Amino acid sequence: MKENLNYMKFNTKTIHGGQHHDPSTGAVMPPVYQTSTFVQTSPGVHSGYEYSRAANPTRTALENALASIENGTRGLAFSSGLAATDCVLKTLKPGDEVIAMDDLYGGTYRMFTRIYQDYEIKFHFVDMNDLEKFKSLFTENTKLVWVETPTNPLMKLADIEAIAKIAKEKKVLFAVDNTFATPYLQRPLDMGADIVMHSATKYLGGHSDVIAGALIVKDEALGEKLHFTQFATGATLGPQDSYLVLRGIKTLHLRMQRHCENGQKVAEYLNSHSLVDKVFYPGLDSHPFYNIAKKQMKGGFGGMVSFTFKSGKKEDAIKFLENLKVFTLAESLGGVESLANHPALMTHASIPEEKRKEIGISDDLVRLSVGVEDAEDLIADLEQALV
Ligand code: P1T
């Protein structure tokens, strides 16, 4: 059995964190325990595993890896990113209030406003960079602060430490969707957040072949409460998918390094293009949140780049997306291959048009998930598509 290597540095943890060789066979990689149930030698007497909704050894291996790379004590793996978010929301009661970032993945916004609002949970959406406005929204019913940073798709940033301090003073749980940054770039639990959430479909899985979600916490009692909610409501990740995400995590640091290099190059290229208006990328010194990015993102700024056209025309965005050859026009992000997306028509179509306009998701906005191909090929593809 391997000793616990959680004291090691990040790159080592992506490979070894929370892992041990399979105790029954010595298999170096955790077997895919494709079983729903486990033998009991007498009623209630078992190996620690009884039914795979409660726990499955392949999922446990992934959950231990998740806890390790985010510096938490407990990881939970879900059947999707939204299932992970849903688990947090299910801990609330009617009358509770949530303060959330005003730019969020469309599906998160849809869940908040079209599912949980009907359960009488009240949501306040605010630009978290206006800390005074943020503070003014707290009431005695506020139970949760929810932030994405960088946000999807406008790449806004929120100062995790500053928000954590306020949330702590107010004794309110603070959750960070860390999907875009990943723990390679930023570890919110170390900055005072209570919960980290991931769409593990994205960079953690890394190969666009699985839908998965994750929650990671430091506080053990909170971990137990979330595990109970997950167990009691059922949105767990299956063993095969757990294996795929675990396999992805082992190369997270290598992939992120290249995503960051390519993201920076693509952002700089677009920034100097005559047809391009605004480029949204935290690694450009013209980005309004560059200083926060430098403070809380370590080792680069990620692979997500959004931009608009000087013409402001939706048709130009569509023509560009149709022209692409190396970038694939598809929803999702964070895989090794480069993807392109039109938020208003695709990933954020569930946000009402008026609200989209208000927060800046215009019809000429394009979002790129810059992959790990050769940057020269990616830039040549953008060049031939931007006509
Ligand atoms: O798709 P799912 O695994 O359920 O994760 C939802 C989710 C949560 N948070 C963020 C920041 C996300 O980007 C997503 C999913 N996003 C896309 C599918 C997309 O193309 O933006």
Side-chain angles (χ1 to χ4, degrees), residues 201-221:
T201 312
K202 311 299 186 301
Y203 289 104
L204 299 186
H207 296 77
S208 304
D209 52 8
V210 63
I211 298 283
L215 294 179
I216 303 106
V217 298
K218 260 201 167 100
D219 182 75
E220 288 177 22

Side-chain angles (χ1 to χ4, degrees), residues 80-82 105 148 152 177 179 199 201-202 212 332-333 347 367:
S80 70
L82 285 183
Y105 167 57
E148 263 176 39
N152 182 358
D177 180 336
T179 299
S199 170
T201 312
K202 311 299 186 301
S332 204
L333 59 109
T347 50
R367 187 192 75 186

Side-chain angles (χ1 to χ4, degrees), residues 258-335:
R258 181 67 74 84
H259 281 298
C260 290
E261 282 167 23
N262 285 359
Q264 188 78 36
K265 284 181 190 164
V266 162
E268 283 170 12
Y269 164 77
L270 289 171
N271 210 25
S272 64
H273 198 286
S274 60
L275 298 180
V276 170
D277 186 21
K278 289 197 198 78
V279 179
F280 303 87
Y281 184 70
L284 293 178
D285 56 15
S286 55
H287 190 279
F289 306 109
Y290 182 60
N291 286 336
I292 302 179
K294 271 200 309 190
K295 184 177 88 157
Q296 73 187 17
M297 298 173 79
K298 301 278 154 52
F301 302 96
M304 297 302 297
V305 183
S306 299
F307 70 96
T308 56
F309 288 77
K310 281 225 169 96
S311 67
K313 285 192 184 150
K314 177 182 181 178
E315 296 71 35
D316 284 350
I318 292 175
K319 190 171 64 177
F320 162 79
L321 290 164
E322 289 173 350
N323 285 346
L324 290 168
K325 295 192 169 106
V326 180
F327 282 81
T328 301
L329 177 59
E331 300 208 3
S332 204
L333 59 109

